[in-house]
Amino acid sequence: MAEALKALVEIISTETDALLSAYATHEVKFPSIDETSTTSSKKNTDFDVDPTIVRMRQLIVAAAAQLIATVQPPGEFLQDAAPAMFKSATLGFVIDVDVPEILMEAGPMGLHVKDLAIVTGVDDSHLARVLRYLATRHIFREVEPNVFAHNRNSTLLSKSKSLKEIKEETDELLASSVHLSAWLRNPEQAPAAFNMGCKTPKKLWDWYKEPNNEARLRRFTVGMKANAYPSHIFTNGIHGDALKADDIVVDIGGSLGTVTLVLKKAFPSLNYVVQDIDKTITASGDYWREHSPEAFESGQVKLQAHNFFEPQPVKNAAVYFLRNILHDWPDEEACEILSNIRDAAGPNSKLIVFESLARYTCEDSPRANFSLPEAPYPLLKNLGVAGEGFLTALDLGMLALFNGKERTLAEFEELGIKTAWRLESVKPGSLYTLVFSPITGGT
Ligand SMILES: C[S@@+](CC[C@H](N)C(=O)[O-])C[C@H]1O[C@@H](n2cnc3c(N)ncnc32)[C@H](O)[C@@H]1O
């Protein structure tokens, strides 16, 4: 026990030294938690996503969280974990009444809850308790009794409209999560907990198409657009330099086609097709007219309404890719999607899946062909909240909304084998890149 505790402290100490020294070497300022600037210099932003820096940060966070879980008595630990729904509820509330915007205008001195009450119309003591709950969890800062200001974490809440759109999507999740336990105990009663929470027999996408839900579809689409992953994941992932001019890259379930836009800029001699359900494809026309009208008008980028449960119309493309699609679907449907692509693929086509990879919290059996990042003793093997915290929540979100899932490496391999795709390589990152080749009679 003492040995594990000391090892955790050692990780924190070594990685913090390394992190600070990397910041110093690159002449980048280490951000204070009290910082409220919404603009970062390009240098800071690039540095933030540098894989070495990301890894140092992850190790520190993983070790610190495990240290807390080790040192805190179980009763206290669970006392904070059990009512975690108040995090969603209070974040939702502050956004609903525009607290992030109001505090941004107030600046670093903050605003007294009595003044905040006048602007929001909400009782000052209610505001104080909600903000203190969040400040206790390092979101906002109580600069004087009952005076609240932004900190680095809360600033992000006012940073972009799309964050609000993402938050609103949690309405569906919140409604679904209430029914998760009942659904898990009897999954036959509805396709997913979402159907119980939102009282519909339809899949989320079909429900979004209903006349009353158009705003929800719009905000989901904006939310997906705001999903900022480093673009090198996609440009390295499809190996565009190795493709021939005019080769076709198909973005299946591509929404507006934000990934395709990144690829088109990096590999301008390739041709692209963005496919999605009809309503989304209609909206993507505006996106392309705004961001790359020449590619849209010349036909270099085609927008195609296509249901991926029907035969894939683009045959023998060089690359078919799916970003964050398979996790929306249970295995049976995921196999149908992959089979339709396989039927259209040529012998040299590649299937590229950009998705999160679910990792076990314990040691996995060694896999000869693939090497995944290791976590040092005594950390959880998936790096706990630092690596998988959000991903395990995303996994449960997929379960609650669609009976979907984040998959392990073995599960991806198995999906591939069932649909005649061989998993050829796996590249770790904030989104993993999984490359598959067709299994043919001779392979
Ligand atoms: C999680 S989003 C991912 C969007 C995009 N790949 C991205 O990463 O930004 C899932 C997408 O699948 C699309 N979709 C759902 N059902 C579909 C179907 N049957 N055929 C084609 N697209 C579908 C949705 O409209 C949505 O745009």
Side-chain angles (χ1 to χ4, degrees):
M1 181 65 217
E3 185 201 345
L5 262 188
K6 285 190 175 157
L8 290 171
V9 173
E10 181 62 31
I11 291 171
I12 295 171
S13 167
T14 313
E15 297 300 325
T16 304
D17 286 347
L19 187 67
L20 291 177
S21 123
Y23 269 77
T25 309
H26 287 79
E27 295 175 351
V28 177
K29 195 169 129 284
F30 190 80
S32 151
I33 191 169
D34 293 342
E35 203 167 273
T36 56
S37 158
T38 52
T39 52
S40 309
S41 69
K42 167 127 182 42
K43 193 171 175 186
N44 275 29
T45 317
D46 290 349
F47 194 63
D48 268 353
V49 295
D50 179 301
T52 322
I53 300 296
V54 170
R55 175 78 179 165
M56 290 171 189
R57 267 202 318 256
Q58 282 184 329
L59 290 174
I60 296 168
V61 175
Q66 195 160 324
L67 188 67
I68 293 167
T70 311
V71 172
Q72 204 168 23
E76 275 177 34
F77 191 77
L78 289 177
Q79 237 167 25
D80 192 52
M85 66 285 187
F86 289 123
K87 279 192 196 164
S88 309
T90 51
L91 282 171
F93 162 73
V94 292
I95 288 175
D96 285 343
V97 298
D98 272 340
V99 170
E101 253 55 64
I102 300 165
L103 290 187
M104 192 50 75
E105 275 182 33
M109 306 298 284
L111 206 59
H112 196 283
V113 284
K114 285 199 188 306
D115 297 317
L116 209 44
I118 295 168
V119 194
T120 59
V122 177
D123 179 89
D124 58 326
S125 85
H126 291 166
L127 281 166
R129 286 153 63 195
V130 166
L131 287 169
R132 192 162 301 118
Y133 171 91
L134 288 170
T136 304
R137 285 154 185 82
H138 305 288
I139 302 171
F140 299 105
R141 186 163 69 97
E142 192 165 13
V143 286
E144 282 176 41
N146 292 318
V147 177
F148 290 89
H150 270 301
N151 70 358
R152 183 163 173 254
N153 294 330
S154 62
T155 300
L156 195 66
L157 297 173
S158 69
K159 210 170 164 182
S160 91
K161 190 165 172 294
S162 33
L163 272 166
K164 286 186 201 159
E165 311 274 6
I166 291 167
K167 173 260 151 192
E168 281 171 22
E169 193 190 308
T170 59
D171 291 353
E172 279 101 90
L173 273 176
L174 215 51
S176 309
S177 67
V178 174
H179 296 272
L180 188 61
S181 169
W183 184 84
L184 286 171
R185 282 175 285 132
N186 177 12
E188 303 305 319
Q189 63 187 308
F194 156 77
N195 303 91
M196 297 162 75
C198 293
K199 300 190 175 48
T200 173
K202 295 185 177 176
K203 275 261 176 207
L204 181 78
W205 314 115
D206 296 325
W207 183 67
Y208 275 165
K209 284 194 234 167
E210 287 181 1
N212 297 344
N213 289 337
E214 278 170 349
R216 289 176 190 271
L217 175 60
R218 258 197 320 277
R219 85 187 179 205
F220 172 81
T221 308
V222 174
M224 283 313 298
K225 194 168 75 174
N227 246 342
Y229 298 103
S231 49
H232 65 76
I233 293 181
F234 311 108
T235 51
N236 293 344
I238 76 149
H239 286 295
D241 291 332
L243 299 178
K244 298 192 299 297
D246 294 335
D247 269 351
I248 300 177
V249 175
V250 190
D251 182 353
I252 302 171
S255 191
L256 298 178
T258 45
V259 180
T260 294
L261 184 61
V262 168
L263 296 176
K264 193 235 123 199
K265 284 185 185 153
F267 310 114
S269 65
L270 304 178
N271 287 325
Y272 299 90
V273 182
V274 180
Q275 300 175 333
D276 208 292
I277 53 176
D278 44 6
K279 279 200 175 170
T280 303
I281 280 299
T282 309
S284 65
D286 292 340
Y287 178 78
W288 282 88
R289 266 186 288 273
E290 184 188 337
H291 289 92
S292 187
E294 69 303 334
F296 180 51
E297 274 145 30
S298 70
Q300 186 195 3
V301 175
K302 288 198 180 69
L303 307 177
Q304 187 172 58
H306 165 60
N307 175 354
F308 45 51
F309 292 109
E310 288 175 4
Q312 169 58 244
V314 184
K315 310 293 178 199
N316 195 21
V319 172
Y320 298 91
F321 78 86
L322 300 160
R323 181 179 82 160
N324 286 339
I325 296 293
L326 294 178
H327 71 169
D328 292 342
W329 301 94
D331 288 347
E332 198 178 325
E333 282 89 344
C335 282
E336 231 182 293
I337 296 170
L338 296 186
S339 291
N340 283 328
I341 305 172
R342 180 64 188 83
D343 290 344
N348 298 318
S349 300
K350 297 282 180 205
L351 164 69
I352 303 188
V353 173
F354 297 108
E355 285 231 358
S356 308
L357 195 71
R359 306 273 319 258
Y360 301 109
T361 51
C362 60
E363 206 75 62
D364 193 0
S365 50
R367 312 185 76 82
N369 301 337
F370 310 109
S371 74
L372 299 177
E374 302 269 329
Y377 170 84
L379 296 182
L380 293 179
K381 295 302 167 201
N382 67 357
L383 288 181
V385 290
E388 292 279 315
F390 172 66
L391 288 184
T392 49
L394 189 64
D395 180 38
L396 290 190
M398 295 303 119
L399 176 68
L401 289 179
F402 311 109
N403 188 15
K405 69 206 275 196
E406 301 299 337
R407 292 181 168 85
T408 61
L409 195 52
E411 287 171 327
F412 273 117
E413 272 185 303
E414 199 181 320
L415 277 190
I417 287 165
K418 281 186 181 156
T419 55
W421 288 107
R422 187 183 46 256
L423 182 58
E424 194 175 85
S425 72
V426 176
K427 194 167 190 305
S430 50
L431 210 53
Y432 276 63
T433 305
L434 299 111
V435 180
F436 294 82
S437 288
I439 299 176
T440 56
T443 50

